[in-house]
Amino acid sequence: MTPAQPLRVGMVGYAFMGAAHSHAWRTAPRFFDLPLQPQLTAVAGRNAEAARAAADKLGWDSVETDWRRLIERDDIDLIDICTPGDTHAEIAIAALEAGKHVLCEKPLANSVEEAERMTLAAETAAKQGVMSMCGFSYRRTPALALAKRFVEQGRLGEIRHVRAQYLQDWLSDANAPMTWRLDKSKSGSGSLGDIGAHSIDAAQWVTGQSISGVSALLETFVPERPLAGDLVGLGGHGDLSGDAPRGKVTVDDAAIFSAKFDGGAGAGAIGVFEATRYALGRKNAMRLELNGTKGSLAFDFEDMNVLSFYDAAESPDAGFRKIFVTEPEHPYVGNWWPTGHGLGYEHGFTHQVVDLVTAIGEGRQPEPSFADALQVQRVLAAVEASATNSSQWQKV
């Protein structure tokens, strides 16, 4: 058997997302037959010592302290962007113009204008066989992928209602320290873009409909936070001494909005969305529920191997039934463990690599494309515009 050609990866950033992506690049070719063989060629970070430690821990062959060097290297085929949103556009456009494939974390950018420039660069590069994808990893959760399959099979009928929540609690302590995620200049937005973007993408992807208008409310509960302290996970506890400096929070802590979907051939669903990092007790409750004319489905990432499904014709009096999405015929699952042995958070990133590498190997556009991510960016912008205009209806 002829060995697969290498796909030499250069990753920018090595923190939370960098670790998840590194695991995926290492793991994907060991469980899936891929047309190209990913190689963890180089990782870039501004702090040479920290980048070297990350490379040693995560399995990268070499280190750069400037992302531009990754793009200049002849032994790099793909740039994986795991940095805050304020750097996405510059890195992605430079990489695409240099003929490198790109995987970019979500949200695609910090503004619609940046996302439009990235999408144009991606569409231009695609004509030369250079591919790009935005990392909405929840699409690769088997239960959500099964939900999309059910919708496409018509098992829900015409979709009427969409309910989407993303609930976390890691910022509930008002004295948790400032991070880049609370600085609009770096992150673009708060809960809205950080986690709400996932809900927007998932809802549009599963339903096959695009959000066409919104009415929104954004709230910042804690306007200032300590600039120093102990980080634990994404949160932690700040330095509360009398002379400890504090920084201004410039993003939303919570977002709520109603939405209208375009419906495609049908009338279009209505939706309700909520994103917060202040929901005590909710650790990563990324939820989606759809109600249609023939049935309903519900998903909660805190029970990620289960899809709840209701078929009105099959069992009208029985309510929802639980489907344990661990069978070989379920999306992605056949390459993993025996029936009943569930998957975890990291598997979504592995499946993301599988889909991206397969698409590149086959010479076709991977999904979600930058154009798909641009649509999400436009929804984010419409939500912000509505919230700053007394929640008035805002077209996307």
Side-chain angles (χ1 to χ4, degrees), residues 24 90 154 213-214 236 296 344 347 358:
E90 184 180 11
V214 299
S296 298
H347 289 85
T358 300

Side-chain angles (χ1 to χ4, degrees), residues 164-192:
Q165 295 177 311
Y166 204 143
L167 313 176
Q168 297 177 337
D169 71 355
W170 60 271
L171 271 180
S172 295
D173 181 355
N175 293 313
M178 279 285 295
T179 73
W180 67 266
R181 294 176 188 273
L182 303 175
D183 181 349
K184 188 175 179 63
S185 67
K186 292 183 173 62
S187 63
S189 64
S191 292
L192 174 62

Side-chain angles (χ1 to χ4, degrees), residues 207-292:
T207 63
Q209 301 182 25
S210 296
I211 294 172
S212 58
V214 299
S215 173
L217 178 67
L218 300 178
E219 185 67 42
T220 301
F221 299 120
V222 180
E224 290 187 339
R225 288 184 176 274
L227 289 176
D230 297 321
L231 282 172
V232 179
L234 293 174
H237 197 75
D239 180 358
L240 303 179
S241 57
D243 58 351
R246 300 178 75 87
K248 183 176 178 59
V249 174
T250 52
V251 299
D252 59 282
D253 285 329
I256 297 175
F257 65 95
S258 57
K260 183 74 172 71
F261 288 75
D262 63 12
I270 58 173
V272 179
F273 289 75
E274 180 182 10
T276 180
R277 299 179 290 207
Y278 282 72
L280 278 169
R282 300 301 180 191
K283 303 305 177 183
N284 202 42
M286 189 274 197
R287 300 166 165 177
L288 181 66
E289 179 172 326
L290 308 182
N291 307 128

Side-chain angles (χ1 to χ4, degrees), residues 357-375:
V357 174
T358 300
I360 291 174
E362 295 175 354
R364 58 178 172 81
Q365 173 60 53
E367 294 180 349
S369 66
F370 278 17
D372 296 327
L374 170 58
Q375 161 63 15

